[in-house]
């Protein structure tokens, strides 16, 4: 028994084993170092607003591109990109996407409403779309305070469900900042 153990753990075999272990560890270290460098380059390109050269088809790259488009007020393209990400996103990522889509509708409605009161129906439609997106985001992740705050703003700004028999002149209309819009 002692002879078998002595042959199994000979100095030559242990040297080869530890050399192999060292080479494998070194390979893993180099691979992770390259990956870290690529991630840093990706983050730098995103921070500068450039199109990333690494991980170009990753979820993060597509999300960052869509978010960048919203900052440049290119809402239609951003909405399409965000919507295309929904099928492959995790529940928390879906909540973030719904929040951003809601923000797109919210910003468009605010910009539209601020220019002309003849666009009341379109503005109300955009606000309702924003409200729906915020509600979906809250259902997916109730912990994000920004979503909950924006949903609260939408509930306060939108008129209630129309009551049958109430004329158009009696409806309160869109309320922004608790001040009725359209009063003389």
């Amino acid at each position: 028994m002692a002879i078998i153990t002595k042959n199994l753990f000979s100095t030559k075999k242990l040297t080869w084993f530890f050399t192999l272990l060292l080479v494998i560890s070194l390979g893993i270290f180099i691979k992770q170092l390259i990956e870290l460098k690529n991630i840093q380059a990706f983050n730098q390109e995103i921070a500068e607003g450039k199109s990333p050269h690494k991980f170009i088809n990753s979820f993060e790259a597509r999300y960052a591109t869509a978010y960048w488009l919203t900052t440049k007020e290119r809402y239609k393209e951003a909405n399409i990109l965000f919507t295309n990400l929904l099928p492959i996103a995790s529940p928390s990522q879906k909540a973030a996407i719904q929040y951003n889509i809601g923000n797109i509708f919210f910003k468009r409605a605010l910009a539209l409403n601020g220019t002309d009161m003849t666009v009341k129906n379109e503005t109300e439609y955009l606000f309702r779309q924003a409200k729906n997106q915020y509600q979906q985001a809250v259902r997916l992740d109730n912990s994000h305070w920004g979503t909950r705050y924006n949903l609260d703003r939408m509930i306060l700004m939108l008129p209630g469900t129309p009551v049958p028999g109430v004329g158009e002149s009696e409806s309160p209309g869109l309320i922004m900042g608790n001040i009725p819009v359209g009063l003389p």
Side-chain angles (χ1 to χ4, degrees):
M1 189 72 151
I3 296 174
I4 295 173
T5 313
K6 195 174 194 181
N7 287 338
L8 185 63
F9 294 113
S10 69
T11 308
K12 188 175 185 179
K13 288 181 181 177
L14 284 175
T15 304
W16 279 109
F17 174 74
F18 286 121
T19 303
L20 180 64
L21 188 63
L22 178 68
V23 169
I24 291 172
S25 298
L26 189 60
I28 292 171
F29 174 75
I30 290 172
K31 180 182 177 250
Q32 290 200 341
L33 191 65
I34 290 170
E35 188 173 327
L36 179 64
K37 183 181 175 223
N38 289 338
I39 290 170
Q40 288 174 338
F42 172 82
N43 288 339
Q44 183 65 31
E45 289 169 344
I46 293 299
E48 293 173 358
K50 297 178 183 175
S51 181
H53 298 303
K54 304 284 182 183
F55 312 112
I56 194 159
N57 289 326
S58 68
F59 177 87
E60 291 80 9
R62 293 165 54 194
Y63 184 91
T65 302
Y67 187 80
W68 180 81
L69 287 170
T70 60
T71 62
K72 299 300 178 190
E73 296 182 1
R74 295 174 55 188
Y75 299 128
K76 191 172 191 176
E77 295 96 337
N79 195 356
I80 291 169
L81 281 175
F82 278 134
T83 304
N84 289 338
L85 286 174
L86 282 172
I88 61 170
S90 69
S92 63
Q93 290 171 332
K94 285 181 182 180
I97 291 170
Q98 297 288 358
Y99 172 70
N100 283 308
I101 292 174
N103 285 344
I104 289 171
F105 284 120
F106 194 16
K107 288 177 184 179
R108 286 178 57 202
L110 288 175
L112 190 64
N113 192 48
T115 59
D116 187 7
M117 277 310 298
T118 61
V119 292
K120 176 185 170 209
N121 291 338
E122 187 175 354
T123 303
E124 186 173 345
Y125 168 78
L126 291 171
F127 279 139
R128 290 199 187 280
Q129 290 299 317
K131 178 183 169 188
N132 292 339
Q133 296 299 322
Y134 292 141
Q135 286 174 333
Q136 289 178 8
V138 167
R139 280 187 210 110
L140 291 167
D141 182 11
N142 194 23
S143 65
H144 190 260
W145 283 99
T147 307
R148 294 168 66 182
Y149 178 80
N150 287 355
L151 178 59
D152 183 53
R153 296 294 104 205
M154 288 291 96
I155 290 170
L156 291 175
M157 289 171 68
L158 287 169
T161 307
V163 179
V166 175
E168 184 66 32
S169 63
E170 297 174 8
S171 69
L174 286 176
I175 299 174
M176 298 186 60
N178 298 335
I179 300 170
V181 175
L183 293 177

